[in-house]
């Protein structure tokens, strides 16, 4: 800046040149930075495309050998190299379903408690505690499920279920067989604890976003807290809650380690939820490093592809729902 | 008659209300109960096996005592490399999406894809890295493990960087532009500085997330019974060792698994609490 005071013409010429050089340099770094950041964005795009491409290419041998029958066949025999995905798909859906049956009502009720009933000073601590549940790594849930939850269910809960529903038409076959401890019910239960914080956190946020005037109007008409919740808050926040539930479902479908510990890794479809089964992610985790032969490996990758497609659809719906909510708010 | 019916209705509504309140309380107790139960068992089982030898000895062969030194070191090495790879890419991508192309099509698409990657099953990431790195190289390696973890780091960092930069008020950007600061300089000197705490939080959360990840390491880094810092060879990691040891029939191994589980949980929860306090102070 001090050069401005100089009035020597040669210097001024230099100054103009150096000024142009500085501007040029600034423009160059500006463009370079823009290009670098854009490349990083394209890299993120490339990763997802890479994931999909790698899975598709990897599963070609299996899909060629078994065709669409791969999805519908229960056989899983590494010795004869016959593979079918039915049992893992069934196990994935059943365990996730059990998880959602438990976690959705509980999660929504916790959000109801946190937003409408809980004293203000307790809200943050309880909220953080529930979110800590989401921070615990899944392998911890797995080891805990194997050594603590499974023996407990085997000893106390499962015999009770078996005895109670023995002979009842549908429920009887649902709770049939010896109490192994490990199995689809145990896996579903652990998944429920794991996705609970996701459903709670999102439900709490959307319940909080309900305009106070709507609630106050309902209270003014003489509604009870529960009636306000049921008839005002839930209808208003429905889209967001569904988004949160879908997000939790996406997690449950793809969860690996916690399930691998307690599912039992049995490639069969059984009506009883007490029976051991397998899920897509557990099959891959258990068998991939031991898979001998291209067809075995490829079948496991094809399982991964199916899992990815299912979770992609569920997560896309979740995002769409939450986006719609955002647009309405903004 | 009408009064009696009204009273009955009133009583029923009150009963239903109290029932719902009770259920909400029970649900909260249910959720918190699991947290207490899991952490309680973890501390009880983990502390029992905690001793100096855990940090000074390598993983033992079945049936003898030992420690977790090689697994801890392997985890630290791979996590560090993953953060070094993933953080720059994540921050730069988040920068583009918040500063250059906030509303363009590329950003909208990548925002969606990033959200999918954020909750994609981590085992699928492991399969991906197996296909692109392990299979062509012909062997499992620490590099492959680090890359798999980096793929998990990126979406977390992208998301927080973008969110935090979006929160920086536009008046700051306009002020910078009005004194002739080029955009790149404005971003680096003004926007990054204003959003620093949030971006650091994102990185901490990403570290917390990958330090407990097991699935993507199973068939990328595999495992190693011995001391190894050769990134080009199979590398042990704490989560994979826990997985192997917990499912083994040997009591010493199971004990070490619990101790390792306690170490991981303390690390992860510590990181998330640190991250939380960083942003809490800011707001």
């Amino acid at each position: 800046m001090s050069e401005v005071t100089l009035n020597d013409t040669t210097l001024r010429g230099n100054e103009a040149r150096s000024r142009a050089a500085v501007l040029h340099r600034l423009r160059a770094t500006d463009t370079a930075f823009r290009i670098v950041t854009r490349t990083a964005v394209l890299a993120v795009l490339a990763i997802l495309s890479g994931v999909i491409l790698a899975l598709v290419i990897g599963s070609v041998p299996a899909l060629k050998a078994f065709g669409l029958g791969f999805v519908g066949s229960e056989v899983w025999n590494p010795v004869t190299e016959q593979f079918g995905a039915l049992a893992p798909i069934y196990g994935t859906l059943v365990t996730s379903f059990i998880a959602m049956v438990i976690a959705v009502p509980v999660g929504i009720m916790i959000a109801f408690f946190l937003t409408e009933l809980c004293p203000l000073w307790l809200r943050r601590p309880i909220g953080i505690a529930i979110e800590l549940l989401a921070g615990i790594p899944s392998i911890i849930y797995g080891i805990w499920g194997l050594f603590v939850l499974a023996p407990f269910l085997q000893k106390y809960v499962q015999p009770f279920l078996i005895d109670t529903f023995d002979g009842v038409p549908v429920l009887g076959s649902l709770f049939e067989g010896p109490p192994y401890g490990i199995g689809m019910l145990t896996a579903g239960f652990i998944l429920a604890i794991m996705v609970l914080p996701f459903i709670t956190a999102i439900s709490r946020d959307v319940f909080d976003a309900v305009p106070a005037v709507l609630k106050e109007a309902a209270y003014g008409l003489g509604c009870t807290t529960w009636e306000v919740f049921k008839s005002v808050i839930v209808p208003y926040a429905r889209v967001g809650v569904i988004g949160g539930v879908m997000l939790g479902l996406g997690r449950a479908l793809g969860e690996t380690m916690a399930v691998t510990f307690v599912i039992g890794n049995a490639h069969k479809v059984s009506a009883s939820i007490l029976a051991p089964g397998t899920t897509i992610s557990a099959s891959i985790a258990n068998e991939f490093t031991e898979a001998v032969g291209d067809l075995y490996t490829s079948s496991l990758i094809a399982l991964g592809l199916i899992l990815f497609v299912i979770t992609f659809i569920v997560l896309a719906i979740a995002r769409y729902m939450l986006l719609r909510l955002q647009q309405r708010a903004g | 008659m009408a009064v009696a019916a009204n009273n009955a209705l009133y009583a029923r509504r009150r009963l239903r209300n109290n029932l719902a309140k009770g259920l909400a309380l029970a649900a909260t107790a249910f959720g918190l109960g699991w947290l207490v139960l899991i952490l309680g068992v973890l501390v009880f089982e983990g502390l029992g096996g905690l001793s100096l030898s855990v940090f000074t000895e390598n993983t033992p062969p079945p049936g003898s005592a030992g420690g977790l030194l090689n697994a801890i070191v392997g985890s630290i090495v791979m996590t560090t490399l993953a953060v070094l790879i993933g953080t720059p890419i994540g921050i730069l991508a988040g920068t583009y999406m918040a500063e250059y192309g906030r509303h363009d099509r590329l950003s909208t698409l990548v925002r969606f894809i990033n959200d999918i990657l954020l909750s994609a099953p981590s085992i699928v990431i492991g399969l991906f890295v197996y296909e692109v790195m392990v299979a062509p190289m012909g062997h499992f390696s620490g590099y492959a493990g680090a890359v798999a973890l980096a793929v998990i780091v990126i979406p977390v960092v992208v998301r927080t960087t973008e969110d935090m930069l979006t929160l920086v008020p536009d008046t700051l950007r306009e002020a910078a532009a009005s004194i002739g600061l080029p955009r790149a300089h404005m971003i680096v000197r003004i926007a990054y500085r204003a959003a620093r705490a949030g971006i650091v939080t994102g990185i901490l959360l990403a570290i917390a997330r990958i330090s407990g990840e097991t699935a993507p390491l199973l068939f990328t880094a595999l495992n190693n019974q011995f001391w190894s810092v050769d990134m080009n060879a199979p590398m042990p990691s704490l989560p994979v060792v826990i997985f192997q040891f917990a499912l083994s029939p040997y009591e010493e191994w199971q004990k070490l698994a619990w101790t390792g589980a306690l170490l991981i949980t303390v690390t992860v929860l510590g990181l998330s609490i640190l991250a939380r306090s960083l942003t809490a102070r800011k707001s």
Side-chain angles (χ1 to χ4, degrees):
Chain A
M1 300 302 159
S2 60
E3 295 100 310
V4 183
T5 55
L6 297 172
N7 46 9
D8 189 332
T9 44
T10 56
L11 263 182
R12 212 180 272 158
N14 276 340
E15 184 203 322
R17 242 195 321 265
S18 73
R19 196 181 166 81
V22 166
L23 280 178
H24 186 75
R25 211 181 58 230
L26 286 179
R27 197 171 311 130
T29 51
D30 208 25
T31 318
F33 193 66
R34 190 191 164 97
I35 291 172
V36 168
T37 54
R38 201 179 156 87
T39 312
V41 172
L42 293 174
V44 177
L45 197 66
I47 290 173
L48 186 84
S49 329
V51 170
I52 296 173
L53 213 65
L55 290 177
V56 170
I57 292 174
S59 49
V60 164
L63 296 178
K64 249 191 196 146
F66 307 117
L68 273 179
F70 182 69
V71 180
S73 158
E74 194 192 331
V75 188
W76 188 269
N77 193 335
V79 180
T80 59
E81 298 221 304
Q82 286 297 313
F83 301 103
L86 189 63
I89 293 177
Y90 174 78
T92 303
L93 297 180
V94 170
T95 49
S96 298
F97 181 74
I98 296 171
M100 298 326 275
V101 165
I102 300 170
V104 170
V106 174
I108 291 178
M109 284 312 266
I110 295 179
F112 170 49
F113 178 80
L114 283 177
T115 52
E116 303 301 317
L117 304 175
C118 182
L120 273 178
W121 58 272
L122 251 180
R123 261 177 218 191
R124 237 181 99 75
I126 294 184
I128 290 177
I130 299 279
E131 278 164 34
L132 282 186
L133 267 180
I136 298 176
S138 63
I139 186 147
I140 310 296
Y141 284 98
I143 185 171
W144 181 82
L146 180 67
F147 288 115
V148 181
L149 185 67
F152 173 78
L153 290 179
Q154 182 179 25
K155 212 164 179 183
Y156 301 104
V157 180
Q158 294 186 347
F160 169 77
L161 288 173
I162 295 167
D163 289 346
T164 313
F165 295 108
D166 190 27
V168 182
V170 180
L171 291 172
S173 57
L174 212 53
F175 300 107
E176 208 175 42
Y180 289 108
I182 53 175
M184 289 195 282
L185 178 68
T186 313
F189 197 82
I190 289 192
L191 284 178
I193 303 173
M194 293 185 71
V195 300
L196 190 61
F198 293 95
I199 297 175
T200 305
I202 292 188
S203 305
R204 183 194 54 191
D205 291 349
V206 292
F207 290 166
D208 260 340
V210 176
V213 277
L214 288 184
K215 289 190 261 178
E216 284 158 8
Y219 279 121
L221 288 173
C223 287
T224 61
T225 315
W226 172 245
E227 284 164 352
V228 171
F229 178 69
K230 197 183 63 181
S231 323
V232 177
I233 298 176
V234 168
Y236 189 90
R238 196 176 45 219
V239 182
V241 173
I242 295 173
V245 169
M246 290 306 230
L247 211 59
L249 180 60
R251 289 265 160 176
L253 288 168
E255 178 46 51
T256 309
M257 299 320 292
V259 173
T260 306
F261 272 96
V262 295
I263 190 78
N265 204 33
H267 275 275
K268 61 179 203 266
V269 175
S270 18
S272 168
I273 59 170
L274 301 184
T278 190
T279 66
I280 294 176
S281 48
S283 300
I284 301 172
N286 267 321
E287 298 172 38
F288 197 79
T289 45
E290 286 150 25
V292 200
D294 288 344
L295 201 56
Y296 197 176
T297 309
S298 170
S299 300
L300 286 168
I301 295 177
L303 277 183
L305 180 65
I306 294 170
L307 175 67
F308 192 68
V309 170
I310 298 175
T311 46
F312 191 98
I313 294 170
V314 170
L315 292 172
I317 296 173
R319 284 298 150 202
Y320 174 72
M321 291 282 185
L322 294 172
L323 203 72
R324 236 175 72 186
L325 192 79
Q326 247 169 30
Q327 277 165 352
R328 196 173 64 186
Chain B
M1 272 293 276
V3 174
N6 254 340
N7 275 343
L9 181 67
Y10 178 63
R12 208 165 54 236
R13 285 175 60 204
R14 269 190 56 162
L15 181 71
R16 208 170 278 170
N17 189 38
N18 287 334
L19 213 63
K21 280 183 176 173
L23 278 177
L25 198 65
T28 311
F30 179 84
L32 292 178
W34 293 119
L35 183 70
V36 173
L37 215 58
I38 291 173
L39 292 183
V41 170
L42 198 57
V43 169
F44 178 75
E45 297 274 355
L47 275 184
L50 202 61
S51 65
L52 197 65
S53 61
V54 169
F55 302 99
T56 56
E57 285 173 34
N58 288 335
T59 46
S64 55
L68 295 165
L69 177 65
N70 54 342
I72 295 172
V73 171
S75 270
I76 292 175
V77 169
M78 281 192 284
T79 306
T80 311
L81 186 61
V83 171
L84 288 180
I85 301 171
T87 310
I89 299 178
I91 291 184
L92 289 171
T95 305
Y96 180 86
M97 287 153 69
E99 297 288 340
Y100 287 111
R102 203 176 278 190
H103 302 292
D104 70 8
R105 261 159 111 187
L106 179 65
S107 294
T108 315
L109 176 68
V110 171
R111 204 168 287 135
F112 174 74
I113 283 174
N114 194 63
D115 278 345
I116 300 280
L117 278 177
L118 202 58
S119 349
S122 56
I123 192 143
V124 170
I125 310 280
L127 285 177
F128 162 63
V129 175
Y130 176 87
E131 287 272 289
V132 298
M133 279 186 81
V134 179
M137 286 165 78
H139 57 87
F140 301 100
S141 70
Y143 286 124
V147 168
L149 293 180
V151 173
I152 297 170
V153 167
I154 291 171
V156 182
V157 177
V158 169
R159 180 66 181 274
T160 41
T161 305
E162 197 204 349
D163 285 354
M164 290 305 143
L165 285 177
T166 314
L167 285 180
V168 174
D170 275 338
T171 44
L172 278 183
R173 296 195 180 89
E174 286 157 8
S178 72
I179 57 164
L181 210 58
R183 211 160 180 183
H185 291 244
M186 181 276 287
I187 293 169
V188 174
R189 297 205 190 145
I190 312 283
Y192 277 171
R193 206 169 285 185
R196 192 165 50 197
I199 296 175
V200 172
T201 301
I203 298 170
L204 288 178
L205 287 177
I207 299 174
R209 168 98 195 264
I210 59 171
S211 37
E213 277 291 354
T214 319
L217 294 175
L218 284 175
F219 27 83
T220 52
L222 199 67
N223 198 351
N224 198 330
Q225 192 76 56
F226 307 103
W227 170 262
S228 166
V229 283
D230 179 8
M231 293 289 284
N232 205 21
M235 202 165 205
S237 65
L238 211 38
V240 176
V241 167
I242 294 174
F243 179 52
Q244 187 199 346
F245 280 17
L247 285 173
S248 77
Y250 312 109
E251 205 175 308
E252 288 89 352
W253 276 17
Q254 293 182 358
K255 208 166 193 169
L256 274 174
W258 276 112
T259 308
L262 179 66
L263 288 179
I264 287 190
T265 311
V266 168
T267 312
V268 170
L269 293 187
L271 280 168
S272 3
I273 290 169
L274 183 68
R276 211 178 279 279
S277 66
L278 261 180
T279 37
R281 205 179 332 132
K282 195 90 196 309
S283 60

